[in-house]
Amino acid sequence: MINLRLKIDPLPIDEPLIVRLQGPGLPARSHHDAVLAEVGPDRREYDLNGFSFGVYAGSDEVIDGDVLMMMPGETTAHRLIRAGSAHNTLLVTEQCDQLCVMCSQPPKKYHADLFEQFTVAASLAPHGAMIGVSGGEPLLHKERLFCMLEEVKARRPDVGFHILTNAQHFSRADLTRLQQLDHARVLWGVPLYSATPENHDRIVGKPGAFAKLEHGLSILMRAGASLELRTVVMQQNWQDLPALADYVSTRLSFLTVWAIMQLERIGYARMNWKETFRDTSRNFDQIARAVDIVTARGLKALLYNFPLCSVPPAYQDYAPSTISDWKRKYLDFCLNCRAKKTCGGFFQWYSHPEGFASLGPL
Amino acid sequence: MPVVPLKFRPHQDGHFLFADDAGGYFKSDQAFLRRYAHDRLTSGDLEFLKGNGHAYDAVGDLAYSGFEHRFAERLYLPREMDYVILVPTLRCNLACGYCQVSRVNEATRGFDWDDTTVEAVIGFLDSLSARKIKVEFQGGEPLLRLDVITRIRDFCRQRFDACEIVVCTNLQEVSDAAWHVLGGDGIFVSTSLDGNRITHEKQRTITPGKTDQFFSNLDLAVSRLGSEKVSALPTIDPHNAPSPQEVIETFLNYDIRSIYLRPINYQGFARKKFDARGSAELWNKYHASFIDALVEHNWSSEIPVEEYYFVHCLRRVLRSGHNGHVDLRNPNIVGHSYVVIDYDGKIYPTDEARMVTRVGQFDLSMGDVFSGISAETINRLNAEALNNFHPDCVHCPYQAFCGVDLVDDISRYGRIDMPKHMTDFCQRHTSIFDRIFAMIYSDDPKIKKTLALWAGTPHFDPLLAKVHR
Ligand code: SF4
Ligand code: SF4
């Protein structure tokens, strides 16, 4: 498993500090750059503007170019950006106004605001990085979020963001700012579970959410924004998928991609697993129909988080490997599977006895 | 609840096909038509119309914006110029019956680019802002000017980030040097293969010796270059057409799975010789029988085959934004994203415009490579090249899928204001779209299988064939 935290010998700080770890022989390019001074077998010594600190990492672990956040008094640092990974996500808030039955990151009441630090971190990311922004609901802190996007765009136009939001909080007044973002580098990931308003509202635990979502989506469309529509497949919306595909093709043909997703067994999804998980390895029909409908309509559908062998052959091309590197695992039977390179496998917290019944190496 | 305007047309089963300006469609019956016409829609009607994207609650809501988006995506917007068709010579080593306009004999002088023209063409290419370019060599027989092809190729390779070069050749005489050029990176071959051997000989090669020569060169092209780099167009004379099965078989022999049937296009002089009017009906019949044959073929064969243009039209029915093909666009703005440069350096918006000018009907040229583009005439034509407000097309449920071809109208009728249904263009497209909807609403599993293949999906879902009662 990949570590998202690194043990450190901390610096005496009283505010969160962002540092980028420079590789061997590289000089500091900004005052956030820590220059590598010494490499031991399990500890590396860095120099940051004359102060030295240590980071514990095995000699085979690549941390060059990583951006860390150190918190006052903490002996581990958050690895906010791993330079070698395409899966870096900033968790900008844990507050949310929805309460989805399968939420993987159940909301908390209080918000610790680190937008300033995140802005610095994103500006230190490797060239062309695509950074995830997630929550909670990031748009609950809309002003802070927009400022971060705008600032990073001004400093680092090559850096992009993939922002997960429930789109409940866009208003017409946001149009101009939204329009000015770089649509090729900002992708909004927005969940929609059913075209039947009551079903969607029930799943997200918020009456009226569907209507607000429609409004938010129409604003994204007008702004010319790029949309990744996200639909987690569950028992609760299994019957709704073909009608949802139809809705998507009449209402949301501006989308960049429609992501049809399998469940991640963590948070509420783990609690509600029995009533929520739909074993699509046994019966794939409704997903097949949804993919058929939008594909014929010229839209792009993709299946996220599906082990390849759970997908019928005719639809395997729609299932890229999507589970983040640090959350991914494979099972025993994957060992002699010839699809292991293209298959995204399983979430770390997937439990096979309660999971897919009909899998096996390809 | 406001409902967007619906256009309708009797469907073959006695019901009606309805469609809106954004290309949303469904089938319903006479009773619904009456309710719609008399403004007595029921709540069930409205619920259906809203679900299918034809109605909305308020201007600006998601149903409304979704409609707007699909509508806008159906309009073709010319991109920057990134495609140039070059005619370095009119000379040709064949004398096909229907091609008198666009060729002269191999030995004739004065129908080639000279050095000044070549340099001017290069100057023209150099002036383009596109980073990628597609160059298509036509003729005459462009392989007679291999020198020009190599010169332009070398220039494009160093000037653009990427270039694709298509050589439209009759594959009659291919020298070793020519094979070498054709085998190069990013070079594609497009040729004519008129359905089967007999027809090809009758329409093109005339003598068995020349026919053999062509077919052996085609064999060579496919084996040396790979079938993915070779395309072949069959020109079909519906009066004298090879059977669809024979055509399919011939093309499959060369592993070509997409067949773009072209009706023989009598131009100018040739049009005087053969009667071109009223040929649409015969063509439509042949084309329909070809689709039948493909459906049969696809049902039993491992290797699916398509008719290129029909599939293009099908996808235009199903999707917005499918504007990639120059032959079917709305508005059909010409002279912007691509042009044709003739043997004398004159620039034309399309190949057909070149013919119209050559036979002296109208001057549709738009300047030349020496003094640059002057698009006044063409822009006046472009201003009319839109079917959205055409008095006939506004009533046609196929309007959103269809296009316009004013140059074709000029070439056939000498005018652009014919009643649409009397034009060859409209008759051919009405027939194609009738057929497409007959297929969409068919229960025949054979037809559904072919539809899925052509729509690019594993299965053709019933929600794509909605019926409202
Ligand atoms: S056996 Fe494992 S690696 Fe192979 S497709 Fe299934 S889940 Fe993926
Ligand atoms: S040209 Fe004919 S088929 Fe096309 S939209 Fe106009 S009336 Fe309809």
Side-chain angles (χ1 to χ4, degrees):
Chain A
M1 197 166 169
I2 297 163
N3 266 331
L4 293 190
R5 288 198 171 221
L6 293 173
K7 186 168 161 349
I8 51 169
D9 293 330
L11 282 164
I13 47 174
D14 46 19
E15 273 183 15
L17 178 73
I18 300 292
V19 292
R20 175 167 60 188
L21 307 178
Q22 290 296 56
L26 290 181
R29 286 186 288 145
S30 77
H31 65 274
H32 292 284
D33 283 330
V35 178
L36 185 59
E38 219 184 291
V39 184
D42 60 351
R43 183 181 182 278
R44 302 177 205 185
E45 176 103 3
Y46 289 89
D47 176 276
L48 180 71
N49 307 320
F51 294 94
S52 68
F53 65 93
V55 176
Y56 291 84
S59 49
D60 55 343
E61 202 157 354
V62 184
I63 56 174
D64 301 339
D66 282 9
V67 181
L68 307 188
M69 179 167 68
M70 302 181 187
M71 303 301 274
E74 289 188 8
T75 52
T76 58
H78 299 259
R79 235 172 137 186
L80 287 185
I81 292 173
R82 289 170 295 132
S85 170
H87 305 283
N88 291 300
T89 296
L90 306 174
L91 186 88
V92 296
T93 182
E94 295 192 90
Q95 295 172 313
C96 190
D97 54 318
Q98 295 192 156
L99 207 61
C100 303
V101 290
M102 68 323 191
C103 182
S104 57
Q105 189 83 45
K108 298 198 177 132
K109 207 163 165 194
Y110 300 102
H111 172 66
D113 195 300
L114 292 165
F115 275 103
E116 223 177 289
Q117 286 73 18
F118 292 147
T119 304
V120 174
S123 311
L124 296 170
H127 185 87
M130 194 71 175
I131 299 172
V133 173
S134 148
E137 172 47 46
L139 278 175
L140 287 177
H141 305 276
K142 188 160 73 179
E143 182 55 34
R144 305 283 288 138
L145 176 73
F146 279 171
C147 285
M148 174 173 90
L149 299 178
E150 287 159 357
E151 245 183 274
V152 176
K153 185 188 167 199
R155 285 195 231 165
R156 290 287 307 275
D158 60 299
V159 168
F161 290 99
H162 177 205
I163 307 160
L164 300 185
T165 170
N166 59 27
Q168 299 286 298
H169 309 278
F170 288 116
S171 75
R172 295 210 139 245
D174 300 325
L175 262 177
T176 329
R177 285 178 98 174
L178 282 171
Q179 269 157 355
Q180 276 159 9
L181 296 173
D182 178 355
H183 303 317
R185 310 278 325 145
V186 176
L187 178 66
W188 299 90
V190 179
L192 169 63
Y193 300 110
S194 170
T196 309
E198 305 77 61
N199 294 1
H200 176 85
D201 289 358
R202 200 175 315 120
I203 290 169
V204 304
K206 178 178 165 187
F210 184 87
K212 279 220 162 96
L213 177 55
E214 278 201 322
H215 180 65
L217 288 168
S218 74
I219 285 168
L220 284 176
M221 181 187 323
R222 276 203 189 270
S226 306
L227 171 70
E228 173 198 59
L229 192 74
R230 297 162 72 91
T231 303
V232 175
V233 173
M234 294 167 281
Q235 292 173 35
Q236 289 87 330
N237 63 354
W238 179 247
Q239 296 303 338
D240 298 354
L241 292 177
L244 180 57
D246 200 33
Y247 175 93
V248 166
S249 37
T250 55
R251 266 68 170 174
L252 297 170
S253 59
F254 78 102
L255 55 73
T256 306
V257 59
W258 182 23
I260 301 174
M261 305 169 62
Q262 251 301 357
L263 200 58
E264 179 173 356
R265 191 175 164 279
I266 195 168
Y268 292 158
R270 179 180 183 147
M271 247 165 66
N272 300 329
W273 185 257
K274 281 217 158 62
E275 311 81 66
T276 310
F277 174 70
R278 175 85 205 188
D279 182 355
T280 48
S281 71
R282 287 167 161 243
N283 179 344
F284 191 78
D285 292 357
Q286 303 290 77
I287 297 177
R289 289 194 61 192
V291 171
D292 288 340
I293 291 165
V294 296
T295 307
R297 294 302 196 175
L299 306 183
K300 181 172 172 187
L302 288 178
L303 306 171
Y304 287 9
N305 310 342
F306 286 72
L308 258 194
C309 55
S310 73
V311 176
Y315 297 87
Q316 285 175 358
D317 281 350
Y318 294 90
S321 159
T322 47
I323 297 177
S324 309
D325 52 2
W326 62 275
K327 294 183 179 180
R328 189 189 310 157
K329 72 173 175 190
Y330 293 91
L331 301 181
D332 303 345
F333 54 78
C334 300
L335 215 62
N336 24 13
C337 175
R338 60 171 173 75
K340 201 174 160 189
K341 276 225 169 63
T342 44
C343 170
F346 304 87
F347 288 104
Q348 284 290 351
W349 24 85
Y350 168 77
S351 150
H352 197 47
E354 299 165 83
F356 299 100
S358 177
L359 299 183
L362 292 175
Chain B
M1 187 188 299
V3 175
V4 300
L6 297 171
K7 303 169 273 193
F8 50 90
R9 173 179 173 83
H11 187 64
Q12 54 175 22
D13 63 359
H15 291 309
F16 291 85
L17 180 84
F18 291 81
D20 63 30
D21 291 346
Y25 63 84
F26 64 94
K27 204 171 85 170
S28 191
D29 54 15
Q30 181 95 41
F32 169 81
L33 176 56
R34 210 169 293 125
R35 293 197 299 277
Y36 174 63
H38 293 109
D39 205 8
R40 285 203 299 264
L41 293 174
T42 64
S43 59
D45 291 334
L46 289 171
E47 196 187 328
F48 170 82
L49 291 172
K50 190 174 173 202
N52 206 36
H54 313 284
Y56 53 95
D57 289 320
V59 171
D61 68 14
L62 192 62
Y64 184 92
S65 313
F67 179 89
E68 281 182 298
H69 189 269
R70 285 182 290 123
F71 174 85
E73 283 283 289
R74 285 191 177 273
L75 300 176
Y76 164 69
L77 232 131
R79 298 154 308 174
E80 62 181 351
M81 191 174 299
D82 61 358
Y83 176 23
V84 195
I85 297 171
L86 305 179
V87 182
T89 180
L90 279 196
R91 292 180 299 118
C92 187
N93 45 16
L94 284 181
C96 307
Y98 44 80
C99 176
Q100 298 162 8
V101 188
S102 46
R103 71 170 293 284
V104 296
N105 287 333
E106 193 174 349
T108 316
R109 288 166 165 275
F111 291 92
D112 280 61
W113 286 359
D114 55 19
D115 290 346
T116 336
T117 317
V118 175
E119 287 317 309
V121 169
I122 284 178
F124 178 82
L125 292 172
D126 201 21
S127 73
L128 301 178
S129 56
R131 312 274 301 266
K132 294 181 184 169
I133 187 97
K134 177 175 171 187
V135 178
E136 190 168 313
F137 288 98
Q138 292 187 4
E141 169 51 43
L143 286 187
L144 296 177
R145 292 307 304 271
L146 203 59
D147 60 321
V148 173
I149 295 178
T150 32
R151 173 90 174 85
I152 301 277
R153 177 202 64 190
D154 293 346
F155 171 77
C156 288
R157 281 183 177 165
Q158 56 89 8
R159 166 65 177 72
F160 297 97
D161 293 352
C163 74
E164 176 186 328
I165 292 175
V166 183
V167 181
C168 302
T169 165
N170 60 26
L171 283 182
Q172 205 54 51
E173 316 256 356
V174 188
S175 65
D176 285 345
W179 279 120
H180 185 74
V181 169
L182 296 179
D185 256 2
I187 315 272
F188 296 81
V189 168
S190 172
T191 190
S192 298
L193 167 53
D194 285 354
N196 62 4
R197 193 186 155 97
I198 300 174
T199 316
H200 195 85
E201 184 164 307
K202 191 164 57 199
Q203 293 183 173
R204 294 186 184 269
T205 43
I206 312 297
T207 67
K210 286 203 158 182
T211 313
D212 288 340
Q213 198 183 2
F214 164 74
F215 278 98
S216 82
N217 279 337
L218 182 57
D219 278 330
L220 260 179
V222 170
S223 61
R224 278 180 78 148
L225 316 175
S227 66
E228 69 288 349
K229 288 183 81 181
V230 181
S231 66
L233 297 181
T235 301
I236 303 288
D237 178 356
H239 291 277
N240 241 321
S243 80
Q245 289 79 6
E246 282 176 282
V247 178
I248 296 169
E249 215 173 287
T250 309
F251 276 74
L252 273 182
N253 271 339
Y254 297 98
D255 200 25
I256 300 175
R257 301 168 187 197
S258 180
I259 305 174
Y260 189 176
L261 287 185
R262 312 278 286 203
I264 202 162
N265 190 7
Y266 296 116
Q267 288 288 354
F269 314 138
R271 194 166 276 170
K272 287 175 196 145
K273 197 161 130 198
F274 304 87
D275 179 24
R277 296 194 186 215
S279 65
E281 198 180 331
L282 204 58
W283 170 256
N284 291 343
K285 251 195 173 142
Y286 179 77
H287 191 261
S289 70
F290 199 88
I291 301 300
D292 290 336
L294 288 174
V295 168
E296 278 304 321
H297 169 88
N298 290 342
W299 181 245
S300 53
S301 169
E302 289 281 293
I303 303 167
V305 179
E306 64 172 31
E307 199 279 295
Y308 176 83
Y309 195 68
F310 190 82
V311 169
H312 181 71
C313 291
L314 169 68
R315 292 183 177 191
R316 274 181 71 87
V317 166
L318 296 171
R319 321 179 169 163
S320 292
H322 201 62
N323 301 323
H325 187 51
V326 300
D327 286 359
L328 191 63
R329 277 173 175 167
N330 175 54
N332 193 357
I333 309 280
V334 294
H336 283 257
S337 56
Y338 77 103
V339 288
V340 183
I341 302 177
D342 208 359
Y343 73 94
D344 54 0
K346 279 214 173 106
I347 301 175
Y348 295 94
T350 67
D351 201 39
E352 202 170 10
R354 177 169 76 105
M355 306 296 179
V356 166
T357 311
R358 184 151 157 76
V359 300
Q361 282 177 298
F362 281 90
D363 185 356
L364 295 180
S365 64
M366 42 189 292
D368 57 46
V369 283
F370 310 107
S371 45
I373 285 185
S374 61
E376 215 180 295
T377 316
I378 294 309
N379 283 344
R380 234 181 295 148
L381 197 63
N382 280 336
E384 305 293 327
L386 178 76
N387 74 12
N388 299 66
F389 310 113
H390 189 279
D392 296 323
C393 302
V394 285
H395 301 295
C396 176
Y398 302 152
Q399 173 270 326
F401 322 126
C402 198
V404 245
D405 192 343
L406 296 182
V407 179
D408 190 61
D409 288 351
I410 289 177
S411 121
R412 284 173 199 276
Y413 317 108
R415 54 197 301 167
I416 61 167
D417 58 353
M418 289 279 284
K420 272 292 167 188
H421 64 276
M422 292 174 70
T423 64
D424 181 85
F425 179 87
C426 180
Q427 289 169 10
R428 274 191 298 118
H429 287 88
T430 304
S431 164
I432 289 178
F433 291 121
D434 277 348
R435 183 60 198 264
I436 286 173
F437 280 103
M439 287 177 77
I440 288 178
Y441 283 100
S442 161
D443 294 327
D444 183 344
K446 290 184 179 176
I447 289 180
K448 293 270 119 130
K449 182 180 178 197
T450 281
L451 264 186
L453 287 166
W454 291 354
T457 60
H459 302 97
F460 196 81
D461 196 86
L463 271 182
L464 300 166
K466 279 192 209 159
V467 181
H468 173 58
R469 291 187 207 287

